[in-house]
Amino acid sequence: MEKKLISIVVPCYNEALALPHFYKEATRVAAMMEDNDFEFLFVNDGSKDETLEILRSLARDDSRCRYISFSRNFGKEAAMFAGLENTKGDFVAIMDADLQDPPALLPEMYRLITEEGYDCVATRRSTRKGEPPIRSFCARMFYKLMDKISKTEMVEGARDFRLMTRKVTDAVLSLGEYNRFTKGIYCWVGYKTKWLEYENIERVAGKTKFNFWKLFLYSLECVMAFSTVPLSLASVMGFLFTAGAGVGIVTIIIRELIWHGSASGWPSLVCIILFVSGVQLFCIGILGQYLAKTYLETKKRPIYLVSETEKDL
Ligand code: UDP
Ligand code: MG
């Protein structure tokens, strides 16, 4: 029987310290799965350390290892897209280079797809042990909010680590948008998905590439990619304020008729003007954000640019 090929996509940004550990563990698991062929596709996302040198030497020594090196840092989303686009496997997995996504889960994931008929096996963290509490708290609030304002269901603690069939991979690739939020894209494409849970594992070496600010911007990206509710905020507030103003006008007229004297004081007026203009600017800002995204989307710029692959060796 012909062996099925499993492609493993690994986005790498300054992962020189973690890559040797990853390679060792991933090949150990690959050796356990004798009935499959493997292909490791590393995507060097403009690393500034020795990541590229390590990838070159891996590709030289092991024909299963391939790499794509970007011309600069395009971000993890772009790296994952490039990886998926260039794999040939019957099954495709995405895994971080820092072993926070344990390759040891692969045999079970593969079994669930081939024997239990799932199209995709995804993973989520059941705990956020080892993470700053404020980060966990914000992440939880974010998922709650997304649940309310988007029809696409986002799973809390979901990781990018998953194994999927060629069918699902092609479906994910068919969404060629520039502002990518892959976790939302998976939910959007659907298919029969099995969720596996595991406890958070701390990275094996090196430092995290996502600080609080970067994650915050990333979450805004997600809101704009999968919800248009913020756009209706202006209408809702406009309606409320108009109603409020109506009540105010009636009150003033009645007071004038009965007591012959309207309210004094400009401080209250200043507050009202500042408040309303603040809300207006806020709403225009939201509009601007969506417009900016639309603008970038219409430019149809490539999602990533390649400077070198293993074929150039
Ligand atoms: N990564 C990337 N490009 C980036 C940032 C991160 O390819 O601009 C990769 C990184 O090398 C790692 C994965 O994305 O393999 C997850 O990053 P990290 O472990 O730093 O994030 P965390 O697990 O702390 O959320
Ligand atoms: Mg990590």
Side-chain angles (χ1 to χ4, degrees):
M1 201 181 70
E2 201 192 330
K3 284 185 173 182
K4 294 272 188 218
L5 177 66
I6 302 183
S7 299
I8 299 187
V9 171
V10 190
C12 306
Y13 178 51
N14 296 343
E15 296 290 7
L17 293 175
L19 271 176
H21 299 278
F22 176 83
Y23 178 72
K24 201 167 145 218
E25 175 64 8
T27 44
R28 185 185 71 82
V29 174
M32 276 162 38
M33 299 173 74
E34 289 162 346
D35 296 336
N36 294 100
D37 281 330
F38 277 84
E39 164 188 72
F40 299 99
L41 179 55
F42 298 93
V43 184
N44 175 30
D45 185 13
S47 301
K48 294 178 184 68
D49 63 357
E50 282 75 53
T51 302
L52 182 56
E53 283 76 33
I54 295 180
L55 294 183
R56 283 191 191 124
S57 79
L58 285 179
R60 269 194 211 102
D61 300 343
D62 185 343
S63 61
R64 294 172 299 176
C65 293
R66 299 169 51 207
Y67 68 87
I68 299 173
S69 189
F70 285 178
S71 60
R72 63 168 171 87
N73 180 252
F74 279 87
K76 187 183 180 188
E77 288 291 340
M80 291 193 290
F81 182 76
L84 294 182
E85 212 176 34
N86 291 283
T87 50
K88 309 189 202 86
D90 305 296
F91 300 91
V92 181
I94 299 184
M95 242 180 241
D96 284 0
D98 57 6
L99 288 181
Q100 278 190 300
D101 301 329
L105 280 181
L106 266 184
E108 170 66 3
M109 293 165 105
Y110 184 72
R111 192 191 65 78
L112 283 163
I113 290 187
T114 49
E115 288 173 24
E116 299 201 7
Y118 287 99
D119 298 304
C120 184
V121 181
T123 59
R124 62 180 290 263
R125 290 188 284 191
S126 53
T127 62
R128 290 178 167 268
K129 199 175 67 198
E131 206 183 51
I134 176 85
R135 186 165 152 174
S136 309
F137 174 77
C138 291
R140 264 200 302 278
M141 296 314 286
F142 169 72
Y143 282 105
K144 278 219 178 78
L145 176 76
M146 269 323 278
D147 195 41
K148 294 229 159 49
I149 65 172
S150 170
K151 286 199 188 74
T152 314
E153 190 196 341
M154 311 269 168
V155 176
E156 197 194 321
R159 298 202 43 95
D160 289 315
F161 179 28
R162 54 172 70 213
L163 179 70
M164 48 199 159
T165 58
R166 178 51 40 195
K167 191 168 62 182
V168 179
T169 312
D170 289 341
V172 169
L173 284 171
S174 70
L175 277 80
E177 57 217 69
Y178 181 78
N179 298 292
R180 298 189 76 75
F181 186 77
T182 312
K183 280 175 199 159
I185 293 180
Y186 291 134
C187 301
W188 192 91
V189 298
Y191 292 107
K192 210 172 155 206
T193 303
K194 168 83 182 172
W195 285 90
L196 292 183
E197 282 192 21
Y198 62 87
E199 288 210 359
N200 192 29
I201 304 165
E202 298 201 29
R203 69 157 43 235
V204 60
K207 282 205 297 280
T208 174
K209 313 298 176 313
F210 288 94
N211 58 28
F212 195 81
W213 181 239
K214 221 169 148 186
L215 278 176
F216 177 70
L217 292 181
Y218 187 54
S219 64
L220 288 188
E221 193 96 339
C222 165
V223 172
M224 278 178 274
F226 283 94
S227 171
T228 49
V229 168
L231 281 175
S232 48
L233 211 64
S235 321
V236 174
M237 289 210 256
F239 177 77
L240 289 179
F241 283 10
T242 313
V247 173
I249 291 168
V250 172
T251 318
I252 289 173
I253 292 174
I254 293 175
R255 195 156 65 180
E256 178 66 30
L257 291 177
I258 300 178
W259 291 288
H260 305 292
S262 48
S264 70
W266 62 271
S268 50
L269 204 62
V270 169
C271 292
I272 293 168
I273 292 174
L274 278 182
F275 177 63
V276 176
S277 50
V279 169
Q280 276 176 348
L281 281 179
F282 181 67
C283 293
I284 294 175
I286 291 177
L287 260 173
Q289 287 296 324
Y290 278 89
L291 185 66
K293 296 286 171 209
T294 317
Y295 175 59
L296 282 177
E297 225 41 90
T298 53
K299 285 195 194 195
K300 294 238 176 299
R301 285 186 183 167
I303 295 171
Y304 62 92
L305 290 174
V306 177
S307 76
E308 177 187 329
T309 71
E310 81 282 350
K311 295 192 187 81
D312 299 317
L313 279 178

Coordinates of all heavy atoms in Angstrom, one line a residue, residues 36-75:
N36 N 3.7 6.1 7.5 CA 3.6 7.4 6.8 C 5.0 7.9 6.4 O 6.0 7.7 7.0 CB 3.0 8.4 7.8 CG 1.5 8.0 8.1 OD1 1.3 7.5 9.1 ND2 0.7 8.3 7.2
D37 N 4.9 8.7 5.3 CA 6.1 9.4 4.9 C 5.9 10.8 5.5 O 4.8 11.3 5.7 CB 6.2 9.6 3.4 CG 6.7 8.3 2.8 OD1 7.5 7.6 3.4 OD2 6.3 8.0 1.6
F38 N 7.0 11.5 5.7 CA 6.9 12.8 6.3 C 7.6 13.9 5.5 O 8.6 13.6 4.8 CB 7.5 12.8 7.8 CG 6.6 12.4 8.8 CD1 6.4 11.0 9.0 CD2 5.8 13.3 9.5 CE1 5.5 10.6 9.9 CE2 4.9 12.8 10.4 CZ 4.7 11.5 10.7
E39 N 7.2 15.1 5.6 CA 7.8 16.2 5.0 C 7.8 17.4 6.0 O 6.7 17.6 6.5 CB 7.0 16.6 3.7 CG 7.3 17.9 3.1 CD 6.3 18.3 2.0 OE1 5.2 18.6 2.3 OE2 6.8 18.3 0.9
F40 N 8.9 18.0 6.3 CA 8.9 19.1 7.3 C 9.2 20.3 6.5 O 10.2 20.5 5.8 CB 10.0 18.9 8.3 CG 9.8 17.7 9.1 CD1 10.6 16.5 8.8 CD2 8.9 17.6 10.2 CE1 10.4 15.4 9.6 CE2 8.8 16.5 10.9 CZ 9.5 15.3 10.6
L41 N 8.2 21.2 6.5 CA 8.4 22.5 5.7 C 8.5 23.6 6.7 O 7.6 24.1 7.4 CB 7.2 22.7 4.8 CG 7.2 24.0 4.0 CD1 8.5 24.1 3.2 CD2 6.0 24.1 3.1
F42 N 9.7 24.1 6.9 CA 10.0 25.2 7.8 C 9.9 26.5 7.1 O 10.4 26.7 5.9 CB 11.4 25.1 8.4 CG 11.7 23.9 9.2 CD1 12.2 22.7 8.6 CD2 11.4 23.8 10.5 CE1 12.4 21.6 9.3 CE2 11.6 22.7 11.3 CZ 12.1 21.5 10.7
V43 N 9.2 27.5 7.7 CA 9.1 28.8 7.0 C 9.9 29.8 7.9 O 9.5 30.1 9.0 CB 7.6 29.2 6.9 CG1 7.5 30.5 6.2 CG2 6.8 28.1 6.2
N44 N 10.9 30.3 7.3 CA 11.7 31.3 8.0 C 11.2 32.7 7.8 O 11.3 33.2 6.7 CB 13.2 31.2 7.6 CG 14.0 32.3 8.2 OD1 13.8 32.7 9.3 ND2 15.0 32.7 7.5
D45 N 10.5 33.2 8.8 CA 9.8 34.5 8.7 C 10.7 35.6 9.0 O 10.5 36.4 9.9 CB 8.6 34.4 9.7 CG 7.7 35.6 9.6 OD1 7.8 36.4 8.6 OD2 6.9 35.8 10.5
G46 N 11.8 35.8 8.2 CA 12.7 36.9 8.3 C 13.5 36.9 9.6 O 13.6 38.0 10.2
S47 N 13.9 35.8 10.1 CA 14.6 35.7 11.4 C 15.9 36.5 11.3 O 16.6 36.6 10.3 CB 15.0 34.3 11.7 OG 13.8 33.5 11.8
K48 N 16.3 37.0 12.5 CA 17.6 37.8 12.6 C 18.7 37.0 13.2 O 19.8 37.5 13.3 CB 17.3 39.1 13.3 CG 16.4 40.0 12.6 CD 16.1 41.3 13.4 CE 15.1 42.1 12.6 NZ 13.7 41.5 12.6
D49 N 18.4 35.8 13.7 CA 19.4 35.0 14.3 C 19.9 33.9 13.3 O 19.7 34.0 12.1 CB 19.0 34.4 15.6 CG 17.8 33.5 15.4 OD1 17.3 33.3 14.2 OD2 17.3 32.9 16.4
E50 N 20.4 32.8 13.8 CA 20.9 31.7 12.9 C 19.9 30.8 12.3 O 20.3 29.7 11.8 CB 22.0 31.0 13.6 CG 23.4 31.7 13.7 CD 23.3 32.8 14.7 OE1 22.9 32.4 15.9 OE2 23.6 33.9 14.4
T51 N 18.6 31.1 12.5 CA 17.6 30.2 12.0 C 17.8 29.7 10.6 O 17.8 28.5 10.3 CB 16.2 30.9 12.1 OG1 16.0 31.3 13.5 CG2 15.1 29.9 11.7
L52 N 18.1 30.6 9.7 CA 18.3 30.2 8.3 C 19.4 29.2 8.1 O 19.3 28.2 7.4 CB 18.5 31.5 7.4 CG 18.6 31.2 5.9 CD1 17.4 30.4 5.4 CD2 18.7 32.5 5.1
E53 N 20.5 29.5 8.8 CA 21.7 28.6 8.6 C 21.3 27.2 9.1 O 21.6 26.2 8.5 CB 22.9 29.0 9.5 CG 23.7 30.2 8.9 CD 22.9 31.5 9.0 OE1 22.2 31.7 10.0 OE2 23.0 32.4 8.1
I54 N 20.6 27.1 10.2 CA 20.1 25.8 10.8 C 19.2 25.1 9.8 O 19.4 23.9 9.5 CB 19.4 26.0 12.1 CG1 20.4 26.5 13.1 CG2 18.8 24.7 12.6 CD1 19.9 26.7 14.5
L55 N 18.3 25.9 9.2 CA 17.4 25.3 8.2 C 18.1 24.8 7.0 O 17.8 23.7 6.5 CB 16.3 26.3 7.8 CG 15.4 26.7 8.9 CD1 14.3 27.7 8.4 CD2 14.7 25.5 9.6
R56 N 19.1 25.5 6.5 CA 19.9 25.1 5.4 C 20.6 23.7 5.7 O 20.5 22.8 4.9 CB 21.0 26.1 5.1 CG 20.5 27.3 4.3 CD 21.7 28.1 3.8 NE 21.2 29.4 3.3 CZ 21.7 30.6 3.8 NH1 22.7 30.6 4.7 NH2 21.3 31.7 3.2
S57 N 21.2 23.6 6.9 CA 21.9 22.4 7.2 C 20.9 21.3 7.4 O 21.2 20.1 7.0 CB 22.8 22.6 8.4 OG 22.1 22.5 9.6
L58 N 19.7 21.5 8.0 CA 18.7 20.4 8.1 C 18.3 19.9 6.7 O 18.2 18.7 6.5 CB 17.5 21.0 8.8 CG 17.6 21.2 10.3 CD1 16.2 21.7 10.9 CD2 17.9 19.9 11.0
A59 N 18.1 20.9 5.8 CA 17.7 20.5 4.4 C 18.8 19.7 3.7 O 18.5 18.8 2.9 CB 17.3 21.7 3.6
R60 N 20.0 20.1 4.0 CA 21.1 19.3 3.4 C 21.2 17.9 3.9 O 21.4 17.0 3.1 CB 22.5 20.0 3.7 CG 22.8 21.1 2.6 CD 24.3 21.5 2.7 NE 24.4 22.9 2.3 CZ 24.5 23.9 3.1 NH1 24.5 23.7 4.4 NH2 24.5 25.1 2.7
D61 N 21.0 17.7 5.2 CA 21.2 16.4 5.8 C 20.0 15.5 5.7 O 20.2 14.3 5.8 CB 21.6 16.6 7.3 CG 22.9 17.4 7.4 OD1 23.6 17.5 6.4 OD2 23.2 17.9 8.5
D62 N 18.9 16.1 5.6 CA 17.7 15.3 5.7 C 16.7 15.7 4.5 O 16.2 16.8 4.5 CB 17.0 15.5 7.0 CG 15.8 14.6 7.2 OD1 15.3 14.0 6.2 OD2 15.3 14.4 8.4
S63 N 16.5 14.8 3.6 CA 15.8 15.2 2.4 C 14.3 15.4 2.7 O 13.5 16.0 1.9 CB 15.9 14.1 1.3 OG 15.3 12.9 1.9
R64 N 13.8 15.0 3.9 CA 12.5 15.3 4.3 C 12.3 16.7 4.7 O 11.2 17.2 4.8 CB 12.0 14.4 5.5 CG 12.0 12.9 5.2 CD 11.8 12.2 6.5 NE 12.8 12.4 7.4 CZ 12.9 11.9 8.7 NH1 11.8 11.1 9.1 NH2 13.9 12.1 9.5
C65 N 13.4 17.4 5.0 CA 13.3 18.8 5.4 C 13.4 19.8 4.3 O 14.3 19.7 3.5 CB 14.4 19.2 6.4 SG 14.3 18.3 7.9
R66 N 12.4 20.7 4.2 CA 12.4 21.7 3.2 C 12.3 23.1 3.9 O 11.8 23.1 5.1 CB 11.2 21.6 2.2 CG 11.3 20.2 1.4 CD 9.9 20.0 0.7 NE 9.6 21.2 0.0 CZ 8.3 21.6 -0.3 NH1 7.3 20.8 0.1 NH2 8.1 22.7 -1.0
Y67 N 12.6 24.1 3.2 CA 12.3 25.4 3.9 C 12.0 26.5 2.9 O 12.3 26.4 1.7 CB 13.5 25.9 4.8 CG 14.7 26.2 4.0 CD1 15.0 27.5 3.5 CD2 15.7 25.3 3.8 CE1 16.1 27.8 2.8 CE2 16.9 25.6 3.1 CZ 17.1 26.9 2.6 OH 18.2 27.2 1.9
I68 N 11.3 27.5 3.4 CA 11.0 28.7 2.6 C 11.5 29.9 3.4 O 11.1 29.9 4.6 CB 9.5 28.9 2.4 CG1 8.9 27.7 1.6 CG2 9.2 30.2 1.6 CD1 7.4 27.8 1.5
S69 N 12.3 30.7 2.9 CA 12.8 31.8 3.6 C 12.2 33.1 3.1 O 12.4 33.4 1.9 CB 14.3 31.8 3.6 OG 14.8 32.8 4.5
F70 N 11.6 33.9 3.9 CA 10.9 35.2 3.5 C 12.0 36.3 3.3 O 13.0 36.2 3.9 CB 9.9 35.6 4.5 CG 8.6 34.9 4.5 CD1 7.6 35.2 5.5 CD2 8.4 33.8 3.6 CE1 6.4 34.4 5.5 CE2 7.2 33.1 3.6 CZ 6.2 33.4 4.6
S71 N 11.6 37.3 2.6 CA 12.5 38.4 2.3 C 12.5 39.3 3.6 O 13.4 40.1 3.7 CB 12.0 39.2 1.1 OG 10.7 39.7 1.4
R72 N 11.5 39.2 4.5 CA 11.5 40.0 5.7 C 10.5 39.3 6.6 O 9.9 38.3 6.3 CB 11.1 41.4 5.5 CG 9.7 41.6 4.9 CD 9.3 43.1 5.0 NE 8.1 43.3 4.2 CZ 6.9 43.2 4.8 NH1 6.7 42.8 6.0 NH2 5.8 43.5 4.0
N73 N 10.3 39.9 7.8 CA 9.3 39.3 8.7 C 7.9 39.7 8.3 O 7.5 40.9 8.2 CB 9.6 39.8 10.1 CG 8.5 39.3 11.1 OD1 7.7 40.1 11.6 ND2 8.6 38.1 11.5
F74 N 7.1 38.7 7.9 CA 5.7 39.0 7.4 C 4.7 38.6 8.5 O 3.5 38.8 8.3 CB 5.4 38.2 6.1 CG 6.0 38.9 4.9 CD1 7.2 38.6 4.5 CD2 5.2 39.7 4.2 CE1 7.7 39.2 3.3 CE2 5.7 40.3 3.0 CZ 7.0 40.1 2.6
G75 N 5.1 38.0 9.6 CA 4.2 37.6 10.6 C 3.8 36.1 10.5 O 3.9 35.5 9.5

